[in-house]
Amino acid sequence: MRLLIIASPMDRGKVLKSTAHGGGPRLPLAAAARAMLAAMTGSVPGDFELTMDELRVVARYVARTAEEVLSVFESAVPQDPRPRAALDAAWAFAGGARRTRLQRVTSLDAHRAAKEAPTEASRLAARAAGDAASAAYLHPIAKAHQVGHILRAPASAARIAEIGAGGDPEAGDRTIERARQRATPVLVEVLLRFPPAPAGRNRVAQLMAALDASLRDVRATPGRPAPLRQDGEN
């Protein structure tokens, strides 16, 4: 059976057409076909495009944050390897490996581990590892909730810092500032394709919105120090 992929960015009715036995029913474009398209073109289409290189920039940014706080989870639940596996999968993709089910599966496992963790800080650390793995599948759709795949892990790290400092919000603010400085120009360019993150009610959402605003403000405020270039990124 041969598969013809109809995948023009202007075509909102993407389909798979089976040509076996003289043709067959048209089916919705499956995730497997999207993966084939991404592998052939090096980009993921949607409301806009994200290239694999851009997704790796996002995965690297999130993975760095998750790595810094993973010990919080592992100290609380040393026998649970799931968040570590998610972080390893994130680094594999960020380092150039193809994105596969490994990132999806380990991300889900890390988020399950987060639900079972005994403290707020350990839950946030496990979730950050899950976010690192799922960054490989950031969706190019203009929805504000997608910003969470980019910035929720740094916001979680900031909340962990606050908890470790006895609830001091200045500890969170310092972590957010470090996350702003760590963001590369490519990461900011990707972020700006999405709507701003909503403020939300919980502290992590508030910290994420503050980081989001500060990164967008770099572009809007002349003379403000820009994010640093890292790892040879353009």
Side-chain angles (χ1 to χ4, degrees):
M1 180 177 72
R2 294 184 298 130
L3 294 178
L4 173 63
I5 301 176
I6 302 175
S8 167
M10 299 300 294
D11 181 9
R12 308 305 295 179
K14 299 182 181 76
V15 295
L16 286 179
K17 182 179 179 181
S18 171
T19 58
H21 307 294
R26 290 173 177 260
L27 302 173
L29 183 64
R34 294 191 186 96
M36 290 169 61
L37 179 61
M40 290 187 293
T41 64
S43 64
V44 183
D47 294 342
F48 46 84
E49 286 195 352
L50 288 172
T51 69
M52 285 294 143
D53 285 344
E54 288 171 332
L55 288 174
R56 287 188 173 92
V57 168
V58 174
R60 190 177 301 117
Y61 178 75
V62 181
R64 280 177 174 154
T65 298
E67 188 167 57
E68 290 175 349
V69 298
L70 182 58
S71 62
V72 174
F73 174 83
E74 292 182 331
S75 295
V77 196
Q79 72 278 13
D80 192 335
R82 290 175 291 180
R84 173 68 65 179
L87 182 58
D88 289 345
W91 278 123
F93 172 72
R98 292 179 60 189
R99 66 177 191 176
T100 65
R101 288 185 68 252
L102 178 66
Q103 284 77 34
R104 288 188 183 276
V105 170
T106 57
S107 175
L108 290 171
D109 285 345
H111 282 93
R112 292 188 186 101
K115 292 179 180 179
E116 299 166 11
T119 65
E120 180 186 0
S122 59
R123 287 192 292 272
L124 292 172
R127 190 167 70 172
D131 287 345
S134 66
Y137 284 93
L138 173 67
H139 298 303
I141 56 175
K143 299 291 185 181
H145 70 270
Q146 289 295 317
V147 173
H149 293 294
I150 307 172
L151 301 182
R152 186 170 64 178
S156 295
R159 176 57 184 157
I160 290 171
E162 289 183 346
I163 294 169
D168 183 0
E170 291 187 2
D173 292 341
R174 288 192 295 270
T175 304
I176 289 298
E177 177 57 20
R178 287 196 297 272
R180 185 194 72 81
Q181 294 178 4
R182 177 180 288 173
T184 64
V186 173
L187 185 109
V188 176
E189 288 289 342
V190 170
L191 177 68
L192 291 174
R193 297 174 201 171
F194 296 92
R201 294 184 178 180
N202 65 58
R203 182 59 177 158
V204 171
Q206 293 166 1
L207 288 163
M208 184 172 72
L211 176 56
D212 180 68
S214 71
L215 288 170
R216 293 173 192 272
D217 190 48
V218 167
R219 176 65 61 85
T221 305
R224 180 166 184 177
L228 300 175
R229 294 188 179 212
Q230 297 176 0
D231 296 342
E233 294 167 7
N234 297 320

